[in-house]
Amino acid sequence: MGSRMSVKWLVSNGLVNLYRKILSPILHAVYGPAYGCRYVPSCSEYFGEAIETHGLVKGGGLGLRRICRCHPWGGEGFDPVPESERGNHGS
């Protein structure tokens, strides 16, 4: 269980923070200040929260699905992570 939590932490916190601190500023510099997520919360926040709420597999799937919707012809606006059906987080 310890290594499972480590992978979950790495994905939900480590990789998402790496994106926020390194890749996102580069994309803003290349594409300009108008570049950004079309949704609230941002895609990286959604991805991390989805993994924390639903676990690595289901949360990761929700996060990837959200990222695939984030394009000029996709939606926009408030799009929260769905609540866990079991009421327990990350199991």
Side-chain angles (χ1 to χ4, degrees):
M1 182 161 161
S3 65
R4 185 173 162 179
M5 291 303 288
S6 297
V7 171
K8 182 178 168 182
W9 182 90
L10 176 66
V11 173
S12 68
N13 293 313
L15 294 177
V16 169
N17 284 333
L18 184 69
Y19 169 81
R20 285 182 190 160
K21 293 180 185 197
I22 295 175
L23 187 57
S24 183
I26 291 170
L27 292 173
H28 283 274
V30 170
Y31 294 109
Y35 176 82
C37 193
R38 304 170 57 85
Y39 293 102
V40 175
S42 71
C43 291
S44 59
E45 291 170 330
Y46 184 98
F47 202 102
E49 186 179 333
I51 291 173
E52 288 296 318
T53 302
H54 295 283
L56 188 58
V57 174
K58 184 175 181 180
L62 287 168
L64 289 173
R65 201 170 104 207
R66 164 64 115 64
I67 289 169
C68 289
R69 291 192 324 254
C70 195
H71 55 79
W73 303 279
E76 63 181 297
F78 184 62
D79 181 32
V81 173
E83 292 184 19
S84 178
E85 294 171 4
R86 291 181 273 187
N88 54 3
H89 298 287
S91 296

